[in-house]
Structures are given as structure tokens and as C-alpha cells.
Amino acid sequence: MDEVEIRRSTRRKRTVRAYREGGKTIVLMPAHLSKAVEDEHVRSLVERLDRREQRVRPSDDELLARAAELSQAWFGGRAVPSSVRWVTTMDKRWGSCSSGDASIRLSHRLQGMPAYVVDYVLVHELAHLIEPNHSRDFWALVNAYPQTEKAKGFLEGVSWQQR
């Protein structure tokens, strides 16, 4: 994480909290803490956030394995991607699929989101390997995934927040 924003408050007495917002880490802390204590808290909290995000940020190989599991579960193994990888060049879409070479790309913006959301985007892109358009048959495939509506709602909320 590149940027850290410290927000000190006289109302905050003891607790220090950190969270990620967009591309930065926000650290909330009491106003009375020294710079040395601040530095230690920031280091510790950023490390903790990084570890937590790493648990929910699978590698490209793990994404490919997860795609195979989802394909087997929801499509009887009919959707077989050649590769699945994270990309940082996708700012408007959550994922894309090239049916020509069967490659799937997921936006880095999904990293750290709940697993059911990443799974939904994978299911959506896997369905394109079977139905290359957004036809009724395509949506029937996607809607077989039980978390579809919940994940779509989550992504709509994130998109609305980022406007």
C-alpha cells in the first residue's frame, strides 16, 4: 500500500484502527499519541491489513484452480480456461474473457473483496466460454450460481460508491 493517511481525533481516547479506502490506508488514532507510537501502530496495522488481504487475494495459479472448481460445480466442467489472471488495466469492468484463446482476466479491484464476489465474476467469465454473448442461455448459466444476485448487488454498491 503506497499512501497512508493519518486521521487524529481528540474524541478518540485509546483505540487505533486502520482500513483501506480506494488506493490508500486510513489510520484513525487518538490525537495525543507520539510520533514514535504512531509509526509503530501504522507499521503494525498496515502489515495486518496486508496479511488479511493476501488471504483473500489468490495468486493467478489459485485463480485458475478455483475456476476449474467452479466450472466443475456449475457447468459440469464444460468451461475450461487456458489462463486466469489479475490485471491492473481494467478500470471499468470487473472481468473479461477472450473466447478465442480461452483466457480470463479479473480486475485487480476485486482483490480483497469477499470470495463469493470473486467467484461470481469467475462464473460470469466462465459462462462466456460456453455462451460468448449475454443471451438468455448465458444468464441461465450464470444464474445457476446461488450467490449471483448477492454478488451483483455488492458490485453495484461498489460501483456506485466509486462514481
Side-chain angles (χ1 to χ4, degrees), residues 29-30 35 45 53 74 102 137:
M29 66 177 41
K35 177 70 172 142
L45 291 168
E53 285 180 354
W74 304 112
D137 290 340

Side-chain angles (χ1 to χ4, degrees), residues 62-157:
E62 291 168 325
L63 282 176
L64 183 60
R66 183 61 182 155
E69 292 171 14
L70 292 167
S71 175
Q72 189 60 47
W74 304 112
F75 308 133
R78 292 185 299 155
V80 182
S82 61
S83 67
V84 182
R85 62 189 174 94
W86 297 110
V87 295
T88 58
T89 56
M90 207 177 294
D91 292 324
K92 301 242 185 296
R93 293 182 288 167
W94 297 111
S96 67
C97 174
S98 294
S99 52
D101 67 358
S103 64
I104 293 175
R105 290 159 308 284
L106 299 183
S107 172
H108 71 286
R109 297 178 302 139
L110 289 166
Q111 293 175 332
M113 289 189 187
Y116 74 91
V117 175
V118 176
D119 283 355
Y120 161 72
V121 176
L122 277 171
V123 166
H124 182 107
E125 300 310 330
L126 287 166
H128 280 305
L129 295 175
I130 300 168
E131 289 289 330
N133 51 40
H134 286 109
S135 67
R136 186 175 299 145
D137 290 340
F138 167 84
W139 285 111
L141 290 168
V142 173
N143 289 330
Y145 176 64
Q147 304 274 10
T148 292
E149 289 305 313
K150 182 179 175 184
K152 284 169 69 174
F154 185 96
L155 292 171
E156 286 176 20

